[in-house]
């Protein structure tokens, strides 16, 4: 898929300076001098891991692609009951990404790319990497079209015309449009354990959903996912960067340092929140969109599955 593997190194444990009394006690009972534990170890968790780059994949990560024209949007939801009691880890709110964190998304985009190659390659000049050309058009259009299925569809049509120098038949364009329509209307496919995890975590913390993407499509997915009742706040954004997150947290009335963000994209869900002093938990998805790749040298929690989140939060 052209992805890059994460470089993960366990965080080192700091050794406590041995005092004379420690050395004497160790000599008497045959034990070596004790070592100080990291804060995570004293709380019963393994040391944090360092992730050097995003997980391998062709693309995909946080919510992909949105209509760049809409304002930041907050979906109004019914009031939820207050959490039962605080958990061991102390946050004011737990926020979740949506696409590829709560439900599948990137696998459908990947299938769309492969379909694009099948349809357009027969009309492209020899030696042209059709899939790479599509990605280049998406990158060029990002500031104008943003993220989402509609942006992908417009870029696909533009790429088909430009790659073939206008030789692509109208029938191929029609098939591309039908593919995009099917993508927009397909049901939400939840990832495993999502409903159970949201129910459990929501007993102890207020929950928020923070995603980016096309306003109409993302709103439809939230409303038809069966998950909307878990969240006190739903935000559909143009972009996920520190400034945008800061405005979102201000609207929520929460200090960024008291937020825990859970998501699959290091670029969109992890690094911007950490830049504000917040906590971030990375739950990778098998596929990652090329434009979501980012190099970094940050420490953060890295879970194999969202099912591991309650244990990481040390919920009873």
């Amino acid at each position: 898929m052209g992805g890059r593997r994460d470089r993960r190194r366990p965080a080192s444990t700091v050794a406590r300076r041995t005092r004379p009394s420690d050395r004497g006690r160790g000599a008497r009972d045959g034990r070596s001098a004790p070592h100080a534990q990291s804060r995570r170890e004293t709380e019963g968790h393994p040391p944090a891991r360092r992730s050097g780059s995003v997980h391998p994949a062709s693309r995909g990560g946080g919510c992909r692609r949105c209509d760049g024209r809409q304002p930041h949007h907050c979906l109004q939801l019914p009031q939820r009951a207050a959490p039962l009691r605080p958990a061991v880890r102390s946050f004011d709110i737990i926020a979740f990404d949506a696409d590829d964190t709560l439900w599948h998304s990137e696998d459908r985009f990947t299938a769309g790319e492969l379909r694009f190659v099948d349809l357009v390659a027969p009309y492209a000049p020899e030696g042209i990497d059709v899939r790479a050309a599509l990605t280049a058009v998406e990158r060029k259009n990002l500031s104008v079209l943003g993220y989402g299925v509609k942006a992908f569809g417009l870029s696909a049509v533009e790429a088909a015309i430009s790659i073939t120098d206008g030789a692509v038949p109208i029938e191929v364009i029609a098939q591309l449009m039908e593919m995009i329509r099917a993508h927009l209307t397909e049901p939400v496919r939840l990832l495993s354990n999502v409903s159970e995890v949201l129910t459990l975590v929501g007993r102890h913390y207020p929950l928020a959903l923070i995603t980016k993407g096309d306003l109409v499509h993302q709103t439809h997915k939230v409303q038809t996912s069966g998950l909307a009742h878990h969240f006190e706040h739903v935000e559909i954004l143009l972009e996920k960067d520190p400034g945008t997150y800061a405005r979102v947290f201000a609207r929520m009335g929460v200090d960024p340092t008291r937020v825990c963000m859970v998501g699959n994209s290091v670029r969109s869900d992890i690094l911007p929140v950490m830049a504000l002093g917040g906590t971030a938990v990375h739950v990778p998805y098998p596929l990652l969109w090329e434009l979501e790749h980012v190099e970094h040298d940050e420490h953060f929690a890295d879970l194999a599955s969202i099912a591991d989140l309650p244990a990481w939060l040390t919920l009873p």
Side-chain angles (χ1 to χ4, degrees):
M1 293 292 184
R4 294 166 289 187
R5 294 190 178 275
D6 281 3
R7 301 187 299 275
R8 299 176 183 169
R9 300 185 294 277
S12 60
T13 302
V14 180
R16 179 165 60 87
R17 186 182 300 276
T18 305
R19 297 174 298 180
S21 59
D22 292 331
R23 289 194 294 269
R25 183 169 57 252
R28 287 194 300 271
D29 60 17
R31 294 175 297 175
S32 59
H35 289 75
Q37 293 179 308
S38 68
R39 181 177 178 181
R40 284 182 56 80
E41 289 174 287
T42 59
E43 293 177 351
H45 299 283
R49 293 179 287 177
R50 179 187 296 270
S51 179
S53 63
V54 182
H55 284 253
S58 62
R59 322 177 317 204
C63 171
R64 169 176 177 153
R65 314 161 189 179
C66 77
D67 184 336
R69 295 171 295 179
Q70 82 257 14
H72 300 305
H73 178 71
C74 180
L75 187 64
Q76 298 299 316
L77 297 172
Q79 292 292 322
R80 296 173 62 252
L84 297 180
R85 60 186 183 277
V88 175
R89 288 185 184 271
S90 182
F91 301 108
D92 289 344
I93 197 165
I94 307 290
F96 291 84
D97 172 50
D99 288 356
D100 299 320
T101 297
L102 303 181
W103 52 68
H104 295 279
S105 176
E106 188 55 31
D107 60 341
R108 191 68 177 84
F109 281 105
T110 299
E113 286 184 335
L114 297 177
R115 178 62 173 158
F116 175 87
V117 172
D118 289 341
L119 290 172
V120 175
Y123 307 96
E126 186 176 353
I128 294 292
D129 186 332
V130 174
R131 189 172 183 179
L134 171 60
T135 301
V137 173
E138 289 184 276
R139 188 187 302 274
K140 174 180 70 72
N141 288 338
L142 194 58
S143 63
V144 177
L145 302 179
Y147 304 84
V149 179
K150 296 171 189 175
F152 173 63
L154 287 171
S155 291
V157 171
E158 178 183 341
I161 295 171
S162 62
I163 290 169
T164 65
D165 196 22
V168 61
I170 190 64
E171 292 80 10
V172 170
I173 301 299
Q175 291 180 72
L176 289 174
M177 295 303 298
E178 182 59 31
M179 176 185 74
I180 296 304
R181 180 178 293 276
H183 191 167
L184 286 168
T185 56
E186 74 171 6
V188 172
R189 297 168 292 131
L190 296 181
L191 288 163
S192 299
N193 304 304
V194 163
S195 295
E196 296 83 356
V197 168
L198 292 179
T199 297
L200 178 56
V201 176
R203 291 173 183 163
H204 303 273
Y205 294 101
L207 305 183
L209 181 65
I210 304 177
T211 185
K212 67 181 181 183
D214 175 76
L215 177 60
V216 174
H217 191 210
Q218 290 297 89
T219 300
H220 176 74
K221 287 195 286 186
V222 172
Q223 292 175 339
T224 61
S225 67
L227 303 178
H229 65 283
H230 290 289
F231 301 105
E232 293 191 4
H233 306 273
V234 171
E235 297 277 348
I236 300 173
L237 309 176
L238 296 171
E239 186 57 275
K240 286 182 169 181
D241 53 35
T244 303
Y245 275 110
R247 290 188 291 273
V248 167
F249 297 148
R251 285 198 295 270
M252 293 180 182
V254 62
D255 185 332
T257 64
R258 302 284 299 166
V259 173
C260 177
M261 179 71 188
V262 181
N264 73 293
S265 172
V266 173
R267 175 183 177 270
S268 295
D269 305 319
I270 307 302
L271 299 183
V273 173
M274 293 181 66
L276 299 175
T279 300
V281 177
H282 184 221
V283 184
Y285 186 76
L287 300 172
L288 185 68
W289 186 29
E290 182 176 335
L291 301 189
E292 285 289 333
H293 282 285
V294 64
E295 295 292 341
H296 65 91
D297 192 28
E298 294 289 344
H299 293 82
F300 46 78
D302 200 342
L303 306 182
S305 165
I306 198 169
D308 298 329
L309 182 63
W312 183 84
L313 289 168
T314 62
L315 298 183

